[in-house]
Amino acid sequence: MIRGVPAGRQTTLREPVTVTGVGVHSGSPTTLTLHPAEAGTGIAFVRCGTAGAPDRELKADYRSVTATEFATVLGDRNGPAISTTEHVLAALHGVGVDNAVVEVDGPEVPIMDGSAEPFVAAIDQAGIVSQSAPRRFIQVLKPVRVAKGESVGELRPNSRGLRVETEIQFDHPLIGRQVFVADVDPDLFRRELARARTFGFMRDVAKLWSAGYALGASFENTVVIADNRVLNAEGTRFADECVRHKAVDAIGDLSLAGSPLLATYKSVRGGHKLNHAVLSALMADRSAWAYVEMPATRRLRGHAELAQGFASAAYGPDVS
Ligand SMILES: [Zn+2]
């Protein structure tokens, strides 16, 4: 919660902040700057730094997704523009930043350490400020479900905020079945999710490399899992780091709704493709959701109000 600021107001960054790193798929050095933005902007990406070409601006919107194979790629009718958007989106959404411009000087958001934490640290360095406009939520009114092979994703009504129920099943002795369930608020995101890193299997690496992916992947930014052990010298950050990372990806991908969701998102064996399919199915069914606002000048008192469809105050931004 922002001290003294109602949870129902939109937020942005106090000032710009820059991070540098490499793209996990391209391996190229990349600079990313988070800029404050006007209320109502949402999250926008600007792809700059292409010699002889104008900057390209893209709204972080599910309709801008051009690929979901190894990362969530945003683009427009001129083609893909920025890849691996999901972790910075998860960080912004996870700590409650509504409006920001994310400027990237290459084809990919830098992977940093493979988690959302470096972006959370950058946001904290900049600071979060509230704006006068009320925050608008997308309230899910009825369940929307998508099944793709062994993957199943579902959004269900949850007037209290965003809840994730993430399950993975890998035929691997180190992972097997993992489940992570949580009501997502800024504290929870910082404590339980932000540090969970991208993971990959050693057996897949050669395949990825030959396809031109994961050229920047290393022990610095990926939990690398071999037949019977994690190869990173420092081990894992959580015993169930993999499923937590899936939850981070889901939070980033679902933020492409453009407004925070009041919903429970259940994902079994999911990934970017499933997240995008479920969100697209929700948004396509105009009877399945509605915009709602929490009055900016009013604080919630109890569950009776929550039940009326206002968001939980705990879902407000965290700038304390
Ligand atoms: Zn990820």
Side-chain angles (χ1 to χ4, degrees), residues 43-122:
I43 307 299
F45 284 85
V46 172
R47 165 74 195 282
C48 63
T50 309
D55 293 351
R56 291 168 71 186
E57 183 166 343
L58 305 147
K59 195 162 168 47
D61 185 289
Y62 67 99
R63 287 162 293 196
S64 305
V65 171
T66 58
T68 52
E69 273 71 34
F70 301 105
T72 298
V73 182
L74 300 180
D76 54 24
R77 61 181 181 278
N78 297 316
I82 301 179
S83 179
T84 322
T85 56
E86 58 270 18
H87 303 156
V88 69
L89 286 172
L92 289 163
H93 197 68
V95 302
V97 177
D98 298 288
N99 302 303
V101 173
V102 184
E103 184 185 356
V104 187
D105 73 348
E108 243 184 313
V109 170
I111 190 65
M112 313 308 290
D113 70 352
S115 80
E117 205 285 327
F119 300 114
V120 171

Side-chain angles (χ1 to χ4, degrees), residues 7-317:
R9 298 259 178 92
Q10 293 185 29
T11 63
T12 189
L13 301 168
R14 187 183 303 277
E15 59 186 22
V17 62
T18 294
V19 300
T20 56
V22 298
V24 71
H25 292 305
S26 64
S28 309
T30 305
T31 298
L32 176 147
T33 303
L34 298 171
H35 297 272
E38 296 290 313
T41 305
I43 307 299
F45 284 85
V46 172
R47 165 74 195 282
C48 63
T50 309
D55 293 351
R56 291 168 71 186
E57 183 166 343
L58 305 147
K59 195 162 168 47
D61 185 289
Y62 67 99
R63 287 162 293 196
S64 305
V65 171
T66 58
T68 52
E69 273 71 34
F70 301 105
T72 298
V73 182
L74 300 180
D76 54 24
R77 61 181 181 278
N78 297 316
I82 301 179
S83 179
T84 322
T85 56
E86 58 270 18
H87 303 156
V88 69
L89 286 172
L92 289 163
H93 197 68
V95 302
V97 177
D98 298 288
N99 302 303
V101 173
V102 184
E103 184 185 356
V104 187
D105 73 348
E108 243 184 313
V109 170
I111 190 65
M112 313 308 290
D113 70 352
S115 80
E117 205 285 327
F119 300 114
V120 171
I123 293 164
D124 286 343
Q125 190 188 325
I128 303 174
V129 291
S130 73
Q131 298 170 295
S132 57
R135 178 176 279 165
R136 191 170 68 158
F137 296 84
I138 290 175
Q139 181 171 25
V140 171
L141 302 174
K142 65 183 193 188
V144 171
R145 180 184 167 95
V146 173
K148 284 181 180 288
E150 293 181 313
S151 304
V152 181
E154 183 180 55
L155 281 163
R156 300 193 305 267
N158 173 12
S159 59
R160 300 186 56 130
L162 176 65
R163 179 178 175 87
V164 290
E165 300 176 354
T166 314
E167 176 177 337
I168 57 173
Q169 295 169 24
F170 284 98
D171 183 18
H172 190 287
L174 286 187
I175 303 181
R177 178 172 179 267
Q178 295 182 354
V179 179
F180 182 82
V181 174
D183 294 307
V184 181
D185 66 40
D187 284 341
L188 180 286
F189 187 83
R190 289 164 191 278
R191 205 174 56 237
E192 307 289 345
L193 289 171
R195 294 174 62 246
R197 292 164 297 175
T198 306
F199 62 97
F201 296 96
M202 203 58 210
R203 64 191 182 209
D204 296 332
V205 165
K207 211 162 53 183
L208 285 169
W209 281 341
S210 64
Y213 290 100
L215 301 177
S218 73
F219 293 125
E220 308 297 310
N221 55 42
T222 307
V223 179
V224 183
I225 300 165
D227 288 342
N228 56 3
R229 65 195 176 99
V230 169
L231 297 182
N232 306 58
E234 75 281 14
T236 53
R237 294 177 175 178
F238 302 97
D240 58 353
E241 188 166 0
C242 296
V243 73
R244 289 176 191 240
H245 187 79
K246 285 284 182 185
V248 170
D249 283 342
I251 292 164
D253 289 341
L254 292 177
S255 77
L256 295 173
S259 293
L261 291 172
L262 301 179
T264 294
Y265 181 57
K266 178 170 183 166
S267 140
V268 179
R269 293 178 176 244
H272 301 301
K273 190 179 293 295
L274 183 75
N275 299 339
H276 181 244
V278 177
L279 180 59
S280 299
L282 172 79
M283 299 308 284
D285 182 350
R286 201 55 194 81
S287 69
W289 59 275
Y291 284 117
V292 295
E293 286 178 3
M294 186 167 66
T297 55
R298 210 167 132 226
R299 286 202 176 264
L300 294 173
R301 298 239 146 65
H303 290 279
E305 283 182 273
L306 293 175
Q308 287 166 16
F310 297 128
S312 160
Y315 194 62

